[in-house]
Amino acid sequence: MATFSLKINGKTQQVDVDPATPMLWVLRDHLNLVGTKYGCGIAQCGACTIHLGEVAVRSCQLPVSAIGEQAITTIEGLSPDGDHPVQRAWLEHDVAQCGYCQAGQIMNAAALLKSNPNPTDAEIESAMNGNICRCATYLRIKVAIKTAVKSTAKS
Amino acid sequence: MDTIKKRINRRDFLKVSALAGGGMMLSFSWLAGCKSTSEEVSNLPKAWFELNSYIKIGDNGMVTLMSPNPEFGSNVKTSLPMLLAEELDVDWKNVMVEQADFFPERYDRQFTGGSLAMQMAWKPLRTAGATARHLLIQAAAQTWKVPADEITTKDGILHHKGSGKEAGYGELASQAAKIEVPKEVSLKKVGDFKIIGNSERNVEGLNIVTGKPLFTLDYKQEAMLIAMIAHPPAFGLKVKAVEDSAARAMPGIKDVFVIKTLADDYERNGFDTTSFTEMVVVVGNTTWEVMNAKKALKVEWEKIADTTIAVSGRGGKQTVTIPAGLESTEGHKVKMAEMAKKTGKVLRKDGNPESVFKTAEKVIERTYTAPFLAHNCMEPVNSFAHVTKENAEIIAPIQAPESIMQALAARLGLPKEKIHIKLARMGGGFGQRAYGHHLVEAAVISQKLNAPVKLVYTREDDMTYGIYRPMYTATYKAALDENNNMIAYQVKAGGIPESPLGYSQNRFPAGAVDHYLAEEWMLNSNITIGAFRAPRSNFLGAVEQSFLDEVAELAGKDPIDFRLELLERAQNKPVGELNDYDPERYAGVLKLVRDKSDWKQAKNGIHRGVSAYFCHNTYVAQVINLTMQENKPLVEKVYAAVDCGVVVNPDAATNMGEGGIIDGIGNALYGEMTFQEGVPQKNNFHNYRMIRHSEAPKAIEIHFVKSEADPTGLGEPLFPPIFAALANALYKATGQREYTQPFLQSKKPLV
Ligand code: FES
Ligand code: FES
């Protein structure tokens, strides 16, 4: 056990856990941030995607001891009221079916647009390829990302 | 909830009872996921009046509609309440939706599966809405002292033209709640719908995109422990001995023990499918700690002997043998090939196919196989349970709560009324979540510990647990006469451990051909199976429609024209009386997809395949446009024509249709579970290939036939035929027919 001070969604929080604990379980079990999902635990499905700084990472393979000073953003902290352009686009296109994968999809898409504000179709596909949607909402995800691109460009 | 439960019995289904209390909404908030913002919550009514099980109206006019069925992503939580709102005549914007708990005394048929939710709810839920509206009108008539039939409603407002009186539903709700429920009410005509037929967004949308706790896996309560299981690593094994000292010594671990979930003499129902009744359980404080301790377990496994279990089902009580042995996919293939050579059980026979095959001008015979498939719902199996001496509280992803009640009651020693199941949103279901073994496991663990417990499967536990789509094979044979008319058709199909054909022998092309034979066989296994999106049809539709493509080619006919000819025959001069499809509606979707896809217009570099299938009472025809890019197939576009009667929520219906199509393409190309000595050979997404973004079709167009017929299924019917449309397009691209699923696993160079 060791104490870690983590900057999450703009707040600093302390946790006392085994240093090897993946951020996924620190968020879900210790900090009550359950929007980040467990899908595979081996960095293959993207359900657990969060932002480390501005980069999308798989929290299931990220030990808490590796975070240090870096700021973490989870789906709960992406925007105050669900009004991030990506979230709004998701609502506009009513993307979700079961919804389980969508936090991971949204976090990945938001990071993509941050680093590449106007991605091509091929760039969207390759950036999103690590996020499985078992309900197969892939087409809507792509359309929603394009809508988010437009609304970000306007604002 | 217990007090309410006792007061209300089934006969009170539509009986009026007034439930008061503004705090009620708040107490539902965990799984409620209503559309309310915090601002709206502070505007909650002071009293709610329940007009029936589905409808509560607040004194301020706020309307709460209960969604009875479990939600696994087909959007029933939005679409079913739309039926209530339509007949109640309220503005959808002013409605809040709550997920009902499993509560058979109050709700009929709380089951999501078989593409039946909308079909079964269509009349009852509209009736519940119309009944509540009737009560409000009566209340207004009494209060205003005017004839009821002069009162009109619009968007939650009652109006009497003669006197100019007007009131919101909220003002008359308390009065309405005292009025006797009518025996009959009339329902709106299809043309008069205002909500049904409009696309309403998912009521849970905002909660989903903001990461709110919606799923069982997200649930937490004071003093709750985490449990994980170690089930046998292979089918055909059971627990022999457990060495748990290392696991017990690990941080955060509370206990390690073996549970037995079902007694050996327990008579199972059809949904009590359980791969392993004995498993090792590790309990601790947090998921990560328990996961680690589980790895430190040393379990010795031993082979099972042949075992018999009693199962009651459609055909009465049966004794089923679970055979001993460690099975392998190679062995399965050999045995299936042997079975396919023997005569099967005849399910339907018309004319004299044997003799026609001997003398026909052209005969074609082809054999198709498909592997076991794992469901791989994104949310792994899990369940919360808190069992005390008096009662059991369960929260779980479960499609068929009613079906697991018997096992829970028997195993826990509690009467059914003392077992309360909350229906959490499911992170996918696809048939697998119809089987509630995880509820029993969680409840048994909780009962033993006398503590609230959340049972969590790892992805590996989930993927290797079983309840797979069965492995199937089918041999088709067709005969053409000198004019290239199909005069005989024969199918012999079987599987491990069930045949795909049992309920489908009267489907097309039965009825369209004079000489017809359908036979089936099955091979027993200890690998468990269960419903998987469009059970059985997901194989039959795939292979029959590939076969017909080949028959059409042999006949020198366009594959759509060929099918239309047969359907015309079935329409004008059907063979037999048991044919279970409507040839006109079947032809209708084929014609629609032909028009929408510009089928007759060949395009350079585009390879096209067509397919059509009828299952879950819905007719679907699909066309795929395919290109080959660096030797890999790329689906450019899919056109689908669908006849499912009235489309209640069109955009959501389209979403589900897209899902069915992409899921089908994914499983056709990659889906496969294999076994070696009983061990499932894939256990996570690194080796079980799922379709991903870049492999999804570039575009999908879904066209619904405009219809006033009662709605039919939608979650499943778009899934089976797409396998064949893809196979037929691939043939155009590669010159090779696809006989073995998954198409890309068997042909390495294509990948
Ligand atoms: S749970 Fe982390 S990638 Fe799947
Ligand atoms: S919406 Fe169900 S897994 Fe993506």
Side-chain angles (χ1 to χ4, degrees), chain A residues 1 18 20-22 25 27-32 34-35 37-42 44-45 47 75-76 81-82 87 90-103 105-106 124-126 128-142, chain B residues 72-73 200-202 205-206 208-213 215 217-218 220 251 286-289 291-292 375-380 425-428 430 457-460 532 651 654-656 658-659 662-663 667 684-686 690-694 696-700:
Chain A
M1 291 288 175
D18 169 2
T21 311
W25 299 112
L27 293 168
R28 290 185 57 84
D29 282 2
H30 298 271
L31 298 171
N32 243 334
V34 294
K37 296 293 189 261
Y38 166 64
C40 68
I42 57 165
Q44 290 290 317
C45 77
I75 186 73
E76 291 90 344
D81 295 306
Q87 288 168 312
W90 245 249
L91 290 174
E92 182 181 331
H93 295 285
D94 218 3
V95 171
Q97 284 185 39
C98 81
Y100 193 82
C101 73
Q102 298 296 348
Q105 307 275 4
I106 289 169
I124 294 176
E125 282 169 19
S126 106
M128 299 301 294
N129 229 29
N131 287 66
I132 295 173
C133 176
R134 174 65 183 89
C135 302
T137 60
Y138 296 127
L139 291 191
R140 281 171 190 243
I141 289 173
K142 201 197 279 176
Chain B
F72 64 12
E200 300 296 355
R201 288 197 188 144
N202 192 332
L206 188 61
I208 290 169
V209 304
T210 53
K212 294 285 179 306
F215 303 93
L217 204 60
D218 302 339
K220 202 171 272 191
T286 66
T287 319
W288 178 246
E289 287 169 324
M291 251 180 203
N292 280 329
H375 297 74
N376 298 337
C377 303
M378 277 318 276
E379 178 191 25
R425 187 177 189 85
M426 288 172 260
F430 305 99
Y457 275 41
T458 61
R459 171 58 58 196
E460 290 83 358
F532 185 110
D651 186 53
T654 303
N655 194 351
M656 200 169 24
E658 292 165 358
I662 301 172
D663 186 11
N667 273 296
N684 204 326
F685 297 128
H686 65 298
M690 310 288 288
I691 191 165
R692 289 173 182 269
H693 280 264
S694 63
K698 301 297 157 217
I700 297 177

Side-chain angles (χ1 to χ4, degrees), chain B residues 360-638:
Chain B
E361 186 76 15
K362 295 177 191 164
V363 173
I364 177 171
E365 182 181 307
R366 296 290 183 259
T367 296
Y368 301 82
T369 60
F372 286 96
L373 295 175
H375 297 74
N376 298 337
C377 303
M378 277 318 276
E379 178 191 25
V381 166
N382 71 106
S383 173
F384 168 85
H386 189 193
V387 181
T388 63
K389 281 200 182 62
E390 290 75 41
N391 56 34
E393 182 86 16
I394 292 173
I395 301 173
I398 180 77
Q399 291 174 232
E402 187 151 22
S403 302
I404 201 63
M405 270 297 188
Q406 172 192 307
L408 284 168
R411 182 59 180 79
L412 299 175
L414 287 169
K416 286 186 184 171
E417 314 80 78
K418 296 289 182 189
I419 301 169
H420 186 64
I421 303 178
K422 277 186 191 283
L423 305 173
R425 187 177 189 85
M426 288 172 260
F430 305 99
Q432 188 191 35
R433 296 293 188 267
Y435 309 92
H437 61 90
H438 47 303
L439 283 75
V440 182
E441 291 156 13
V444 167
I445 297 167
S446 171
Q447 191 176 45
K448 181 171 166 74
L449 295 167
N450 194 19
V453 167
K454 187 165 68 182
L455 166 72
V456 180
Y457 275 41
T458 61
R459 171 58 58 196
E460 290 83 358
D461 296 333
D462 178 301
M463 204 180 282
T464 60
Y465 179 84
I467 314 201
Y468 302 120
R469 196 287 297 268
M471 188 177 184
Y472 292 127
T473 185
T475 300
Y476 288 86
K477 204 169 165 185
L480 301 177
D481 67 12
E482 60 283 5
N483 299 319
N484 286 312
N485 294 317
M486 189 164 85
I487 46 173
Y489 183 93
Q490 176 173 313
V491 51
K492 192 199 292 176
I496 304 176
E498 73 162 16
S499 146
L501 207 52
Y503 306 98
S504 317
Q505 64 272 25
N506 296 317
R507 285 189 189 163
F508 181 77
V513 53
D514 288 314
H515 305 277
Y516 176 91
L517 178 64
E519 291 171 272
E520 70 170 359
W521 51 266
M522 43 202 101
L523 266 172
N524 204 1
S525 169
N526 56 32
I527 298 169
T528 52
I529 56 145
F532 185 110
R533 196 172 209 159
R536 299 171 289 276
S537 299
N538 58 35
F539 175 68
L540 289 176
V543 297
E544 163 207 296
Q545 289 292 312
S546 298
F547 180 64
L548 284 181
D549 201 67
E550 212 169 336
V551 181
E553 186 183 39
L554 183 69
K557 292 177 186 172
D558 170 84
I560 294 185
D561 293 344
F562 175 69
R563 287 172 174 83
L564 289 175
E565 269 176 29
L566 289 168
L567 287 162
E568 205 176 301
R569 163 76 209 270
Q571 174 75 16
N572 298 334
K573 226 175 122 229
V575 182
E577 271 152 26
L578 296 170
N579 308 323
D580 65 359
Y581 58 94
D582 175 345
E584 222 176 326
R585 289 178 81 179
Y586 219 133
V589 289
L590 270 164
K591 288 175 189 162
L592 184 60
V593 86
R594 180 181 64 190
D595 296 347
K596 295 292 180 187
S597 69
D598 245 334
W599 174 253
K600 300 272 170 175
Q601 213 59 49
K603 289 195 192 95
N604 250 353
I606 304 239
H607 313 286
R608 314 188 88 184
V610 66
S611 168
Y613 202 63
F614 167 68
C615 63
H616 301 87
N617 302 315
T618 290
Y619 300 82
V620 175
Q622 292 161 333
V623 166
I624 276 188
N625 286 2
L626 186 93
T627 57
M628 295 302 280
Q629 314 242 322
E630 292 159 18
N631 226 14
K632 275 197 238 172
L634 187 79
V635 179
E636 299 283 353
K637 185 148 190 176
V638 178

Side-chain angles (χ1 to χ4, degrees), chain A residues 57-95:
Chain A
V57 293
R58 306 292 185 237
S59 65
C60 67
Q61 287 288 306
L62 179 69
V64 60
S65 58
I67 308 290
E69 287 299 302
Q70 299 172 85
I72 284 174
T73 310
T74 69
I75 186 73
E76 291 90 344
L78 186 63
S79 67
D81 295 306
D83 53 5
H84 184 283
V86 171
Q87 288 168 312
R88 276 193 276 123
W90 245 249
L91 290 174
E92 182 181 331
H93 295 285
D94 218 3
V95 171

